[in-house]
Amino acid sequence: MRILVVEDEKHLNRIISEAVEDEGYSVDSCFNGQEALEFMECAKYDVMILDIMMPKLNGLDLVRRLRRGGDTTPVLFLTARDDMRDKIQGLTVGGDDYVTKPFSAAELLARVRVAIRHTRSGLSNEALVNTGKFVAGDLTIDYDKHQVLIAGENCHLTQNEYRIVALLGKCAGKVLTYDFIMKELWGPQSKGSNQILRVNMANIRRKIEKNPAEPHYIFTEVGVGYRMIEGD
């Protein structure tokens, strides 16, 4: 799972980032809403931890812009304010949860886990929702550990390779077009040649398939995209 921490107070940003990273999540951090927009143009995040009061673009305005653009990333607001009206405003603009400063790392991480469960609940694979794992034969995608395994052995995928397999696993049985995959993983600015996607897929197949020329897990729909085998 990939988390974006957006907090302008550098010391608190570091504390939050380290706590989330220690929990096993992949973390990016920035210090204002404008920087957050730039990060989100280049990557997809499972949860955003977002301060409300920030320079350049505050948290409320950032979420308004994201929601208008169709972005559904779960947002956990951070704020020093404890007024119920502020909480309601944060949730009204599209936030998913709200933590008032000061807070404990345990509380923050608990709320992150809840947000991730909500993300999973939108998936069709019931086993993935309940366990955080997609299983098809010897293939296991462990979304919590950020790993792909064959017969219990880590395939040691690169970050991009893992993200491709993870996306296909979430939509197992469905054909995902080349354009859809590229925009989901590398942002809406991804256009043109899908060569980078094809190269990554060739490497993935060498690592997960017994015979890459006759794939058992990820199939190519010629001229369209890729499809993951349905789970057990």
Side-chain angles (χ1 to χ4, degrees):
M1 291 293 168
R2 195 169 188 181
I3 312 293
L4 178 63
V5 176
V6 191
E7 164 62 60
D8 64 315
E9 187 181 333
K10 293 184 178 181
H11 178 65
L12 182 56
N13 188 310
R14 186 176 68 253
I15 290 174
I16 294 171
S17 298
E18 289 176 354
V20 174
E21 200 163 32
D22 287 346
E23 193 73 3
Y25 301 114
S26 175
V27 181
D28 289 330
S29 66
C30 57
F31 302 97
N32 61 65
Q34 189 59 49
E35 289 181 351
L37 282 177
E38 295 169 3
F39 271 76
M40 297 188 75
E41 287 177 356
C42 300
K44 290 285 290 183
Y45 294 94
D46 297 283
V47 178
M48 179 163 55
I49 301 173
L50 176 64
D51 189 22
I52 287 184
M53 300 303 295
M54 294 185 298
K56 296 186 179 181
L57 182 65
N58 69 47
L60 295 175
D61 289 339
L62 170 60
V63 173
R64 287 191 185 99
R65 290 178 59 169
L66 292 174
R67 297 306 187 234
R68 281 199 301 268
D71 189 281
T72 60
T73 303
V75 173
L76 175 59
F77 275 123
L78 305 177
T79 182
R81 299 180 178 182
D82 196 21
D83 190 298
M84 182 56 66
R85 289 171 298 181
D86 293 323
K87 295 183 178 181
I88 292 172
Q89 187 179 17
L91 298 175
T92 300
V93 300
D96 296 87
D97 203 350
Y98 200 108
V99 181
T100 303
K101 302 174 184 177
F103 51 83
S104 68
E107 178 189 6
L108 179 66
L109 292 170
R111 292 181 183 272
V112 168
R113 286 191 288 268
V114 168
I116 289 173
R117 283 201 298 272
H118 288 172
T119 303
R120 288 179 184 164
S121 66
L123 304 172
S124 58
N125 188 312
E126 184 176 352
L128 196 160
V129 172
N130 293 332
T131 69
K133 296 179 181 180
F134 170 81
V135 179
D138 285 340
L139 173 71
T140 299
I141 307 173
D142 190 323
Y143 287 86
D144 292 334
K145 293 184 178 179
H146 219 67
Q147 293 180 347
V148 174
L149 305 98
I150 293 291
E153 295 293 324
N154 190 348
C155 296
H156 299 290
L157 301 187
T158 67
Q159 183 177 17
N160 279 339
E161 291 165 3
Y162 170 80
R163 293 172 66 202
I164 293 167
V165 176
L167 178 60
L168 290 166
K170 290 179 180 179
C171 305
K174 299 178 182 179
V175 179
L176 303 187
T177 66
Y178 301 127
D179 284 346
F180 176 82
I181 295 171
M182 292 177 67
K183 288 177 181 177
E184 282 292 299
L185 300 185
W186 292 294
Q189 78 281 3
S190 299
K191 298 178 181 178
S193 173
N194 54 33
Q195 184 61 27
I196 186 173
L197 183 58
R198 294 176 182 273
V199 170
N200 275 283
M201 184 56 67
N203 292 333
I204 289 167
R205 284 184 168 144
R206 279 195 290 270
K207 294 177 181 180
I208 72 171
E209 302 283 1
K210 289 184 178 179
N211 181 358
E214 298 180 0
H216 179 71
Y217 298 111
I218 300 175
F219 306 99
T220 300
E221 303 295 336
V222 179
V224 180
Y226 299 109
R227 172 176 58 87
M228 174 71 74
I229 188 174
E230 291 190 27
D232 295 346

CSV table of all heavy atoms in Angstrom, one decimal, residues 3 5 12-13 15-21 23 25 47-50 76-78 97-100 102-116:
chain,number,residue,atom,x,y,z
A,3,ILE,N,1.2,5.4,0.6
A,3,ILE,CA,0.6,6.5,1.3
A,3,ILE,C,1.3,7.8,1.0
A,3,ILE,O,2.5,7.8,0.9
A,3,ILE,CB,0.7,6.2,2.9
A,3,ILE,CG1,0.3,4.8,3.3
A,3,ILE,CG2,-0.1,7.3,3.7
A,3,ILE,CD1,-1.1,4.5,3.1
A,5,VAL,N,1.8,11.5,2.5
A,5,VAL,CA,1.7,12.4,3.7
A,5,VAL,C,1.9,13.8,3.3
A,5,VAL,O,3.0,14.2,2.7
A,5,VAL,CB,2.8,12.0,4.8
A,5,VAL,CG1,2.7,12.9,6.0
A,5,VAL,CG2,2.6,10.5,5.2
A,12,LEU,N,6.7,17.2,12.2
A,12,LEU,CA,5.5,16.3,12.3
A,12,LEU,C,5.4,15.4,11.0
A,12,LEU,O,5.0,14.3,11.1
A,12,LEU,CB,4.2,17.1,12.5
A,12,LEU,CG,2.9,16.3,12.6
A,12,LEU,CD1,3.0,15.3,13.8
A,12,LEU,CD2,1.8,17.3,12.8
A,13,ASN,N,5.7,16.0,9.9
A,13,ASN,CA,5.7,15.3,8.7
A,13,ASN,C,6.7,14.1,8.8
A,13,ASN,O,6.3,12.9,8.4
A,13,ASN,CB,6.2,16.2,7.5
A,13,ASN,CG,6.0,15.5,6.1
A,13,ASN,OD1,6.5,14.4,5.9
A,13,ASN,ND2,5.4,16.3,5.2
A,15,ILE,N,7.7,12.5,11.6
A,15,ILE,CA,7.2,11.6,12.5
A,15,ILE,C,6.1,10.7,11.9
A,15,ILE,O,6.1,9.5,12.1
A,15,ILE,CB,6.7,12.3,13.8
A,15,ILE,CG1,7.8,13.0,14.6
A,15,ILE,CG2,5.9,11.4,14.7
A,15,ILE,CD1,7.4,13.8,15.7
A,16,ILE,N,5.2,11.4,11.2
A,16,ILE,CA,4.1,10.6,10.6
A,16,ILE,C,4.6,9.7,9.5
A,16,ILE,O,4.3,8.5,9.5
A,16,ILE,CB,3.1,11.6,10.0
A,16,ILE,CG1,2.4,12.4,11.0
A,16,ILE,CG2,2.0,10.8,9.1
A,16,ILE,CD1,1.5,13.5,10.5
A,17,SER,N,5.5,10.2,8.7
A,17,SER,CA,6.1,9.3,7.6
A,17,SER,C,6.8,8.1,8.2
A,17,SER,O,6.7,7.0,7.7
A,17,SER,CB,7.0,10.2,6.7
A,17,SER,OG,6.3,11.2,6.1
A,18,GLU,N,7.6,8.3,9.2
A,18,GLU,CA,8.4,7.2,9.8
A,18,GLU,C,7.4,6.2,10.5
A,18,GLU,O,7.6,5.0,10.3
A,18,GLU,CB,9.4,7.7,10.8
A,18,GLU,CG,10.5,8.5,10.2
A,18,GLU,CD,11.5,9.1,11.2
A,18,GLU,OE1,11.1,9.0,12.5
A,18,GLU,OE2,12.5,9.6,10.9
A,19,ALA,N,6.4,6.7,11.1
A,19,ALA,CA,5.4,5.7,11.8
A,19,ALA,C,4.7,4.9,10.7
A,19,ALA,O,4.5,3.7,10.9
A,19,ALA,CB,4.4,6.5,12.6
A,20,VAL,N,4.3,5.5,9.6
A,20,VAL,CA,3.6,4.8,8.6
A,20,VAL,C,4.5,3.8,7.9
A,20,VAL,O,4.2,2.7,7.5
A,20,VAL,CB,3.0,5.8,7.6
A,20,VAL,CG1,2.4,5.1,6.4
A,20,VAL,CG2,1.9,6.7,8.2
A,21,GLU,N,5.8,4.3,7.6
A,21,GLU,CA,6.7,3.4,7.0
A,21,GLU,C,7.1,2.2,7.8
A,21,GLU,O,7.3,1.1,7.3
A,21,GLU,CB,8.0,4.2,6.6
A,21,GLU,CG,8.9,3.6,5.5
A,21,GLU,CD,9.8,4.6,5.0
A,21,GLU,OE1,10.3,5.5,5.7
A,21,GLU,OE2,10.1,4.5,3.8
A,23,GLU,N,5.2,0.7,9.7
A,23,GLU,CA,4.1,-0.2,9.6
A,23,GLU,C,4.1,-1.1,8.4
A,23,GLU,O,3.3,-2.0,8.2
A,23,GLU,CB,2.7,0.6,9.7
A,23,GLU,CG,1.5,-0.3,10.0
A,23,GLU,CD,1.4,-0.8,11.4
A,23,GLU,OE1,2.3,-0.5,12.2
A,23,GLU,OE2,0.4,-1.5,11.6
A,25,TYR,N,4.2,0.3,5.1
A,25,TYR,CA,3.6,1.0,3.9
A,25,TYR,C,4.7,1.7,3.2
A,25,TYR,O,5.7,2.1,3.7
A,25,TYR,CB,2.5,2.0,4.3
A,25,TYR,CG,1.4,1.3,5.0
A,25,TYR,CD1,1.1,1.7,6.4
A,25,TYR,CD2,0.5,0.4,4.4
A,25,TYR,CE1,0.0,1.1,7.0
A,25,TYR,CE2,-0.5,-0.1,5.1
A,25,TYR,CZ,-0.8,0.2,6.4
A,25,TYR,OH,-1.8,-0.3,7.1
A,47,VAL,N,-4.0,5.8,0.2
A,47,VAL,CA,-4.5,6.7,1.2
A,47,VAL,C,-3.6,8.0,1.2
A,47,VAL,O,-2.4,7.9,1.0
A,47,VAL,CB,-4.4,6.1,2.7
A,47,VAL,CG1,-4.9,7.1,3.7
A,47,VAL,CG2,-5.3,4.8,2.7
A,48,MET,N,-4.3,9.2,1.4
A,48,MET,CA,-3.6,10.4,1.6
A,48,MET,C,-3.8,10.9,3.0
A,48,MET,O,-5.0,11.1,3.4
A,48,MET,CB,-4.0,11.5,0.6
A,48,MET,CG,-3.3,12.8,0.8
A,48,MET,SD,-3.4,13.9,-0.7
A,48,MET,CE,-5.1,14.0,-0.9
A,49,ILE,N,-2.8,11.2,3.8
A,49,ILE,CA,-2.8,11.8,5.1
A,49,ILE,C,-2.6,13.3,4.9
A,49,ILE,O,-1.5,13.7,4.5
A,49,ILE,CB,-1.8,11.2,6.1
A,49,ILE,CG1,-2.1,9.7,6.2
A,49,ILE,CG2,-1.9,11.9,7.4
A,49,ILE,CD1,-1.0,9.0,7.0
A,50,LEU,N,-3.6,14.1,5.2
A,50,LEU,CA,-3.6,15.5,4.7
A,50,LEU,C,-3.9,16.5,5.8
A,50,LEU,O,-4.9,16.5,6.4
A,50,LEU,CB,-4.6,15.6,3.6
A,50,LEU,CG,-4.8,17.0,3.0
A,50,LEU,CD1,-3.6,17.5,2.3
A,50,LEU,CD2,-6.0,16.9,2.0
A,76,LEU,N,-7.4,11.2,4.8
A,76,LEU,CA,-7.5,11.3,6.3
A,76,LEU,C,-7.0,12.7,6.6
A,76,LEU,O,-5.8,13.0,6.5
A,76,LEU,CB,-6.6,10.2,6.9
A,76,LEU,CG,-6.4,10.2,8.4
A,76,LEU,CD1,-7.8,10.0,9.1
A,76,LEU,CD2,-5.5,9.0,8.8
A,77,PHE,N,-7.9,13.5,7.1
A,77,PHE,CA,-7.5,14.9,7.4
A,77,PHE,C,-6.8,15.0,8.8
A,77,PHE,O,-7.2,14.3,9.7
A,77,PHE,CB,-8.8,15.8,7.5
A,77,PHE,CG,-9.2,16.3,6.1
A,77,PHE,CD1,-10.5,16.1,5.6
A,77,PHE,CD2,-8.3,17.1,5.4
A,77,PHE,CE1,-10.9,16.6,4.4
A,77,PHE,CE2,-8.7,17.7,4.2
A,77,PHE,CZ,-10.0,17.4,3.7
A,78,LEU,N,-5.8,15.8,8.8
A,78,LEU,CA,-5.2,16.2,10.1
A,78,LEU,C,-5.4,17.7,10.4
A,78,LEU,O,-5.3,18.5,9.4
A,78,LEU,CB,-3.7,16.0,10.0
A,78,LEU,CG,-3.2,14.6,9.6
A,78,LEU,CD1,-1.6,14.6,9.5
A,78,LEU,CD2,-3.6,13.5,10.6
A,97,ASP,N,-12.0,10.7,6.7
A,97,ASP,CA,-11.9,10.6,8.2
A,97,ASP,C,-11.1,11.8,8.6
A,97,ASP,O,-10.7,12.6,7.8
A,97,ASP,CB,-11.1,9.3,8.5
A,97,ASP,CG,-11.4,8.8,10.0
A,97,ASP,OD1,-12.0,9.6,10.7
A,97,ASP,OD2,-10.9,7.7,10.3
A,98,TYR,N,-11.0,11.9,10.0
A,98,TYR,CA,-10.6,13.2,10.6
A,98,TYR,C,-9.9,12.9,11.9
A,98,TYR,O,-10.4,12.2,12.7
A,98,TYR,CB,-11.8,14.0,10.9
A,98,TYR,CG,-11.6,15.5,11.1
A,98,TYR,CD1,-12.1,16.4,10.1
A,98,TYR,CD2,-11.1,16.0,12.2
A,98,TYR,CE1,-11.9,17.7,10.2
A,98,TYR,CE2,-10.9,17.4,12.4
A,98,TYR,CZ,-11.3,18.2,11.4
A,98,TYR,OH,-11.2,19.6,11.5
A,99,VAL,N,-8.6,13.4,12.0
A,99,VAL,CA,-7.9,13.2,13.3
A,99,VAL,C,-7.4,14.5,13.8
A,99,VAL,O,-6.9,15.3,13.0
A,99,VAL,CB,-6.6,12.3,13.0
A,99,VAL,CG1,-5.9,12.1,14.4
A,99,VAL,CG2,-7.0,11.0,12.5
A,100,THR,N,-7.7,14.8,15.0
A,100,THR,CA,-7.4,16.1,15.6
A,100,THR,C,-6.1,16.1,16.3
A,100,THR,O,-5.8,15.2,17.1
A,100,THR,CB,-8.5,16.5,16.6
A,100,THR,OG1,-9.8,16.6,16.0
A,100,THR,CG2,-8.2,17.9,17.2
A,102,PRO,N,-3.3,17.1,19.1
A,102,PRO,CA,-2.3,16.0,19.0
A,102,PRO,C,-3.0,14.7,18.9
A,102,PRO,O,-4.1,14.5,19.5
A,102,PRO,CB,-1.5,16.2,20.3
A,102,PRO,CG,-2.5,16.7,21.3
A,102,PRO,CD,-3.4,17.6,20.5
A,103,PHE,N,-2.3,13.7,18.3
A,103,PHE,CA,-2.9,12.4,18.2
A,103,PHE,C,-1.7,11.4,18.4
A,103,PHE,O,-0.5,11.7,18.2
A,103,PHE,CB,-3.5,12.1,16.8
A,103,PHE,CG,-2.6,12.5,15.7
A,103,PHE,CD1,-1.7,11.7,15.2
A,103,PHE,CD2,-2.8,13.8,15.1
A,103,PHE,CE1,-0.9,12.0,14.1
A,103,PHE,CE2,-2.0,14.2,14.0
A,103,PHE,CZ,-1.0,13.3,13.6
A,104,SER,N,-2.0,10.2,18.7
A,104,SER,CA,-1.0,9.1,18.9
A,104,SER,C,-0.8,8.4,17.5
A,104,SER,O,-1.7,8.4,16.7
A,104,SER,CB,-1.4,8.1,19.9
A,104,SER,OG,-2.5,7.4,19.4
A,105,ALA,N,0.4,7.9,17.4
A,105,ALA,CA,0.7,7.1,16.2
A,105,ALA,C,-0.2,5.9,16.1
A,105,ALA,O,-0.6,5.6,15.0
A,105,ALA,CB,2.2,6.6,16.2
A,106,ALA,N,-0.6,5.3,17.2
A,106,ALA,CA,-1.5,4.1,17.2
A,106,ALA,C,-2.8,4.5,16.6
A,106,ALA,O,-3.4,3.8,15.8
A,106,ALA,CB,-1.6,3.6,18.6
A,107,GLU,N,-3.3,5.7,17.0
A,107,GLU,CA,-4.7,6.1,16.5
A,107,GLU,C,-4.6,6.4,15.0
A,107,GLU,O,-5.4,6.0,14.2
A,107,GLU,CB,-5.1,7.4,17.2
A,107,GLU,CG,-6.4,7.9,16.7
A,107,GLU,CD,-6.8,9.3,17.2
A,107,GLU,OE1,-6.0,9.9,18.0
A,107,GLU,OE2,-7.9,9.7,16.9
A,108,LEU,N,-3.5,7.1,14.6
A,108,LEU,CA,-3.4,7.4,13.2
A,108,LEU,C,-3.3,6.1,12.3
A,108,LEU,O,-4.0,6.0,11.3
A,108,LEU,CB,-2.1,8.2,13.0
A,108,LEU,CG,-1.8,8.6,11.6
A,108,LEU,CD1,-2.8,9.6,11.0
A,108,LEU,CD2,-0.4,9.3,11.5
A,109,LEU,N,-2.5,5.2,12.8
A,109,LEU,CA,-2.3,3.9,12.0
A,109,LEU,C,-3.6,3.1,12.0
A,109,LEU,O,-3.9,2.5,10.9
A,109,LEU,CB,-1.2,3.1,12.6
A,109,LEU,CG,0.2,3.7,12.4
A,109,LEU,CD1,1.2,2.9,13.2
A,109,LEU,CD2,0.6,3.7,10.9
A,110,ALA,N,-4.4,3.2,13.0
A,110,ALA,CA,-5.7,2.5,13.1
A,110,ALA,C,-6.6,3.1,12.0
A,110,ALA,O,-7.3,2.4,11.3
A,110,ALA,CB,-6.3,2.5,14.5
A,111,ARG,N,-6.6,4.4,11.9
A,111,ARG,CA,-7.5,5.1,11.0
A,111,ARG,C,-7.0,4.8,9.5
A,111,ARG,O,-7.8,4.7,8.6
A,111,ARG,CB,-7.5,6.5,11.3
A,111,ARG,CG,-8.3,6.8,12.6
A,111,ARG,CD,-8.4,8.3,12.9
A,111,ARG,NE,-9.1,8.5,14.2
A,111,ARG,CZ,-10.4,8.7,14.3
A,111,ARG,NH1,-11.2,8.5,13.3
A,111,ARG,NH2,-10.9,8.9,15.5
A,112,VAL,N,-5.7,4.7,9.3
A,112,VAL,CA,-5.1,4.4,8.0
A,112,VAL,C,-5.6,3.0,7.6
A,112,VAL,O,-6.0,2.8,6.5
A,112,VAL,CB,-3.6,4.5,8.0
A,112,VAL,CG1,-3.0,3.8,6.7
A,112,VAL,CG2,-3.1,5.9,8.1
A,113,ARG,N,-5.6,2.0,8.5
A,113,ARG,CA,-6.0,0.7,8.2
A,113,ARG,C,-7.5,0.7,7.9
A,113,ARG,O,-7.9,-0.1,7.0
A,113,ARG,CB,-5.7,-0.3,9.4
A,113,ARG,CG,-4.2,-0.6,9.5
A,113,ARG,CD,-4.0,-1.7,10.5
A,113,ARG,NE,-4.2,-1.3,11.9
A,113,ARG,CZ,-3.3,-0.8,12.7
A,113,ARG,NH1,-2.0,-0.7,12.3
A,113,ARG,NH2,-3.6,-0.4,13.9
A,114,VAL,N,-8.3,1.4,8.6
A,114,VAL,CA,-9.7,1.5,8.2
A,114,VAL,C,-9.9,2.1,6.8
A,114,VAL,O,-10.7,1.6,6.1
A,114,VAL,CB,-10.5,2.4,9.3
A,114,VAL,CG1,-11.9,2.7,8.8
A,114,VAL,CG2,-10.5,1.7,10.6
A,115,ALA,N,-9.2,3.1,6.5
A,115,ALA,CA,-9.3,3.7,5.1
A,115,ALA,C,-8.9,2.7,4.1
A,115,ALA,O,-9.5,2.6,3.0
A,115,ALA,CB,-8.4,5.0,5.0
A,116,ILE,N,-7.9,1.9,4.3
A,116,ILE,CA,-7.5,0.9,3.4
A,116,ILE,C,-8.5,-0.2,3.2
A,116,ILE,O,-8.8,-0.7,2.1
A,116,ILE,CB,-6.1,0.3,3.8
A,116,ILE,CG1,-5.0,1.3,3.6
A,116,ILE,CG2,-5.8,-1.0,3.0
A,116,ILE,CD1,-3.7,0.9,4.1
